Amino acid sequence: MARGGGHNLPLCRSTTREPNTPLFWPSLVIISSATMSVSSSCLLLLAVAALAIASPLAVVAWRPWPHHFVSRSAVNATATMSIGGGSGGSVATGGIGASKKYEGSSEFVKLRYHMGPVLTANVTVHPIWYGAWAPAQKHILRAFLRSISAASAPHPSVAAWWRTVRLYTDQTGANVSATVLLGAERSDRHYSRGRALSRLAIQSVIRDAVTAPRRPIPVNPRGGLYLVLTSSDVAVQDFCVQACGFHYFTFPAIVGYTLPYAWVGNSATQCPGICAYPFAVPPFAVGPRAAERPPNGDVGVDGMVSVVAHELAEMASNPLVNAWYAGEDPCFPTEIADLCEGIYGTGGGGAYTGQLLIDAHTGAAFNLHGVGGSKFLVQWIWHPYLSYCSGPNALDHQ
């Protein structure tokens, strides 16, 4: 779940990938006690001031590779580095990696394991296509799902990105599975639940898929992930306002089983600047800003890829919302993808994507390679041992 989260579920808020917004870490403020006398307060302030004059505090950002530089020759010959969020020019990368190798890092992040399960068994993703989907759109999302376990893809790859997710373990020390398969699919072209869905209605869509009289999707509580994908003409509760996607688990009272699931919507006609950034410019953007060219030529679906990745990473590491997250309230967890939302490359943070790769033939922005020559732009994930956001396209990984 990102900052704020979704709502209107009976127990807790479902964990949500929110629209990209600048992220600011809280600062520390020292406040004197209200019961402290005036004289003691003055003495304390004088003492703090004297200490600051005598030995001013230095703020130092920790870097595990402080002297690592990457030459231009280290970058793939078919790509160049995009600087400043635009797809215009390219620059040599030497020296940049030394200046920003701690994306998202903060001593305030206390990611903890809460003793719940992670997906250690082979994972099978079951897409449920709700609404009108073109074959080309399905092909993009299927290619991404097939790429998660495709170790043969060029570096930096989707499979290498998933290795960070695999670092998360359960209480036995077993890691998240390396195997992610594309399973049986279901299409609902007739909008059987209407064109405006509540969050709970998403579970009814899943029930329809697993109980269909012909070719139902198999029920797999151990390793199955059920991914509801709504087309651009379907409105979903809180879509574009509080959420671009969310994940939770189904209720037996509705579906008949407890199954991890996620929903992601196509924002192409509703809010591309919010949920498909950086392939569209947010309406509230300040100053001139050019949108990046999507690697597969579809703003809405290319934007969905990163949201799908976000939710899959969190379902694998926190499928029942009782495993890996930061914060004390499981109804409002901050999960491993929430911590890195909007960060796609070295130097990323706030409204800046970080340094991206640019396809030399199409000019499209991407950061990961997939199967069959496919390319994707996918957000980074929180690294549990290094305590900062990490991705295989980081400059020190080149």
Side-chain angles (χ1 to χ4, degrees):
M1 186 188 78
R3 300 168 300 281
H7 57 76
N8 290 342
L9 287 180
L11 298 179
C12 295
R13 297 188 177 207
S14 56
T15 58
T16 306
R17 191 280 202 183
E18 284 196 349
N20 285 320
T21 52
L23 177 63
F24 300 96
W25 295 111
S27 59
L28 288 177
V29 180
I30 301 175
I31 305 176
S32 61
S33 170
T35 60
M36 186 180 294
S37 65
V38 175
S39 59
S40 59
S41 298
C42 293
L43 290 174
L44 177 60
L45 290 174
L46 288 173
V48 171
L51 180 61
I53 295 173
S55 56
L57 296 175
V59 179
V60 180
W62 175 79
R63 301 173 179 82
W65 301 277
H67 305 298
H68 189 87
F69 294 86
V70 181
S71 64
R72 180 186 292 269
S73 62
V75 182
N76 190 298
T78 63
T80 57
M81 284 297 189
S82 169
I83 306 298
S87 58
S90 64
V91 301
T93 59
I96 297 175
S99 65
K100 205 72 184 294
K101 184 59 197 75
Y102 48 94
E103 290 77 14
S105 61
S106 173
E107 62 185 278
F108 301 110
V109 175
K110 304 298 182 185
L111 188 71
R112 294 176 51 219
Y113 176 54
H114 296 80
M115 304 305 290
V118 302
L119 295 184
T120 59
N122 290 349
V123 175
T124 302
V125 181
H126 297 285
I128 301 172
W129 308 92
Y130 189 89
W133 287 92
Q137 294 177 317
K138 292 184 177 182
H139 176 76
I140 295 169
L141 291 166
R142 287 176 182 144
F144 172 73
L145 295 173
R146 290 192 179 107
S147 298
I148 295 176
S149 295
S152 60
H155 180 80
S157 67
V158 176
W161 170 86
W162 186 255
R163 289 190 199 115
T164 302
V165 181
R166 290 201 60 229
L167 295 174
Y168 290 88
T169 62
D170 64 14
Q171 56 188 307
T172 70
N175 294 82
V176 168
S177 175
T179 302
V180 180
L181 306 173
L182 178 61
E185 306 178 27
R186 186 80 184 174
S187 294
D188 188 341
R189 304 179 186 87
H190 303 292
Y191 307 86
S192 61
R193 295 287 171 176
R195 294 176 185 254
L197 303 176
S198 67
R199 285 180 175 252
L200 279 178
I202 299 296
Q203 296 198 25
S204 297
V205 172
I206 297 171
R207 181 184 63 191
D208 295 342
V210 300
T211 61
R214 296 182 58 190
R215 291 182 292 182
I217 288 180
V219 173
N220 180 6
R222 179 170 168 79
L225 298 181
Y226 298 81
L227 181 61
V228 178
L229 303 165
T230 52
S231 57
S232 59
D233 57 345
V234 176
V236 176
Q237 180 183 357
D238 298 327
F239 187 28
C240 299
V241 179
Q242 293 185 5
C244 299
F246 66 79
H247 80 90
Y248 208 60
F249 52 86
T250 61
F251 302 149
I254 298 177
V255 180
Y257 309 90
T258 299
L259 306 170
Y261 78 95
W263 157 79
V264 178
N266 185 341
S267 65
T269 60
Q270 300 184 52
C271 58
I274 302 298
C275 292
Y277 178 82
F279 303 127
V281 179
F284 50 79
V286 177
R289 184 183 292 268
E292 300 287 357
R293 183 171 296 177
N296 298 288
D298 190 309
V299 169
V301 177
D302 274 302
M304 288 181 72
V305 167
S306 188
V307 186
V308 168
H310 178 119
E311 301 303 338
L312 289 179
E314 293 183 346
M315 280 198 291
S317 59
N318 196 28
L320 300 181
V321 200
N322 61 355
W324 288 96
Y325 62 87
E328 299 301 323
D329 187 350
C331 292
F332 299 89
T334 298
E335 300 173 272
I336 67 171
D338 299 326
L339 292 165
C340 304
E341 190 173 326
I343 298 177
Y344 301 86
T346 300
Y352 175 49
T353 61
Q355 297 170 60
L356 309 179
L357 297 169
I358 301 299
D359 189 290
H361 301 292
T362 66
F366 71 101
N367 64 355
L368 300 179
H369 293 274
V371 296
S374 56
K375 298 179 175 68
F376 307 101
L377 184 62
V378 177
Q379 71 154 89
W380 283 7
I381 297 296
W382 187 261
H383 196 296
Y385 300 119
L386 302 179
S387 293
Y388 57 69
C389 299
S390 180
N393 60 307
L395 290 184
D396 53 78
H397 292 179
Q398 302 294 329

